[in-house]
């Protein structure tokens, strides 16, 4: 379990109120509610100013929670500092003493354990990682595989959009010949609505579904492309292009 997000100012404000109620003579020296570390040091040094067991217990429990939050944040921010140092050319031997370990390999392993906190707090972090280098390396590998898959999906969406958008636009331009005040009209309305902002893979799937539905309904009504079709030649060509692109299912 993790503390996670916490309204620091509200918690420190609650502690400040306890000390004010106890008429703490040093309260004017307490740091502001946004100065977490300084406020914790003050609260520890002046814990004796509280009166009564309940107030003392409540304050101590809140301090425990805040220190746990500090620990979590320290892991995350120290990991970012290590990344910055490495990007600036620092060797693991340079980081060893600063990470309070004896060898470069130990610095590397400690950095990977800290990295677990960063991955666990990321938007894609589905669960807390075991704090081992192996677990972090595997998580980073999976994250890269997922990112690569997303890039491929985006590239495929862009390619499909390049092919599908002109076909959908031709259907809209010919809709006067295609409208039937029923299913075809409904699906053409959907095409026209989604086409201008069709960028993501999800939107592309919707557009393709609507174009496919237009072709299906025209075929059911006997108005699909063909020499005997009652629709104009331009519309026949538009429908033929749609059928060729998405298939005739």
């Amino acid at each position: 379990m993790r503390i996670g997000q916490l309204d620091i100012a509200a918690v420190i404000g609650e502690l400040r109120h306890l000390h004010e109620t106890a008429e703490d003579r040093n309260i004017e020296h307490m740091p502001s509610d946004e100065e977490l570390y300084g406020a914790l040091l003050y609260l520890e040094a002046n814990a004796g100013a509280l009166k009564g067991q309940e107030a003392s217990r409540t304050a101590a429990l809140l301090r425990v929670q805040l220190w746990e939050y500090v620990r979590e944040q320290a892991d995350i921010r120290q990991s970012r500092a290590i990344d910055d140092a490495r990007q600036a050319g620092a060797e693991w031997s340079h980081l060893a003493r600063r990470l309070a370990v004896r060898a470069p390999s130990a610095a590397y392993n400690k950095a990977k354990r800290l990295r677990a906190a960063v991955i666990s707090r990321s938007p894609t972090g589905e669960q807390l990682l075991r704090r081992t280098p192996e677990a972090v390396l595997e998580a980073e590998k999976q994250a890269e595989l997922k990112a690569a898959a997303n890039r491929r999906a985006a590239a495929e969406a862009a390619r499909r959009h390049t092919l599908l958008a002109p076909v959908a636009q031709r259907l809209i331009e010919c809709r006067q010949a295609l409208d039937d005040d029923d299913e075809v009209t409904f699906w053409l309305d959907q095409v026209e609505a989604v086409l201008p902002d069709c960028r993501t893979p999800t939107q592309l799937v919707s557009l393709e579904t609507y174009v496919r539905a237009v072709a299906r309904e025209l075929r059911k009504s006997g108005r699909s492309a063909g020499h005997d079709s009652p629709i104009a030649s331009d519309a026949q060509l538009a429908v033929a292009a749609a059928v060729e692109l998405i298939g005739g299912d």
Side-chain angles (χ1 to χ4, degrees):
M1 295 177 61
R2 299 182 69 88
I3 297 296
Q5 297 297 319
L6 190 64
D7 189 341
I8 301 302
V11 177
I12 296 178
E14 184 177 350
L15 285 160
R16 182 186 302 278
H17 177 69
L18 289 172
H19 279 256
E20 289 174 341
T21 301
E23 299 181 350
D24 181 354
R25 291 180 298 176
N26 297 318
I27 191 64
E28 63 183 26
H29 300 299
M30 181 176 173
S32 71
D33 293 351
E34 289 73 28
E35 297 181 32
L36 174 57
Y37 186 74
L40 277 168
L41 294 181
Y42 172 88
L43 292 164
E44 178 182 318
N46 293 272
L50 296 175
K51 300 173 182 177
Q53 185 179 32
E54 183 176 351
S56 296
R57 181 174 60 249
T58 298
L61 289 171
L62 290 175
R63 284 167 46 214
V64 168
Q65 182 183 31
L66 288 172
W67 279 118
E68 183 62 24
Y69 176 82
V70 169
R71 188 192 309 277
E72 291 178 6
Q73 295 301 308
D75 285 351
I76 294 167
R77 297 184 186 281
Q78 188 177 32
S79 179
R80 292 174 183 169
I82 292 170
D83 288 344
D84 290 343
R86 292 287 294 163
Q87 290 175 13
E91 301 291 340
W92 290 113
S93 57
H94 300 150
L95 286 160
R97 181 171 60 84
R98 292 167 174 81
L99 287 170
V101 295
R102 296 182 183 277
S105 60
Y108 171 84
N109 288 335
K110 186 170 184 177
K112 286 301 179 183
R113 288 194 296 270
L114 291 169
R115 179 68 178 160
V118 177
I119 296 176
S120 296
R121 286 287 300 275
S122 71
T124 57
E126 297 177 355
Q127 60 183 3
L128 292 177
L129 296 175
R130 290 181 296 112
R131 291 171 70 90
T132 65
E134 295 78 11
V136 174
L137 288 172
E138 179 61 24
E140 290 177 335
K141 176 183 176 181
Q142 294 302 319
E144 178 54 34
L145 290 174
K146 184 174 182 179
N150 289 338
R151 289 192 295 269
R152 290 193 297 271
E156 175 62 15
R159 187 189 71 83
R160 294 288 292 170
H161 181 266
T162 300
L163 297 173
L164 186 59
V167 172
Q169 185 60 44
R170 289 185 66 184
L171 288 173
I172 297 304
E173 292 171 355
C174 297
R175 70 172 300 164
Q176 185 174 358
L178 300 175
D179 280 332
D180 66 348
D181 294 325
D182 196 4
E183 291 296 322
V184 173
T185 297
F186 171 79
W187 290 115
L188 285 172
D189 286 343
Q190 307 310 306
V191 171
E192 192 167 11
V194 76
L195 180 60
D197 298 315
C198 185
R199 295 293 181 271
T200 68
T202 299
Q203 292 168 330
L204 180 65
V205 169
S206 297
L207 180 61
E208 188 167 344
T209 298
Y210 302 151
V211 171
R212 190 184 304 276
V214 170
R216 182 183 65 245
E217 293 302 325
L218 286 170
R219 187 171 61 251
K220 284 168 57 178
S221 65
R223 300 171 64 239
S224 56
H227 295 296
D228 297 329
S229 173
I231 60 178
S233 59
D234 287 348
Q236 291 180 30
L237 292 174
V239 176
V243 171
E244 181 179 358
L245 178 62
I246 65 177
D249 60 333

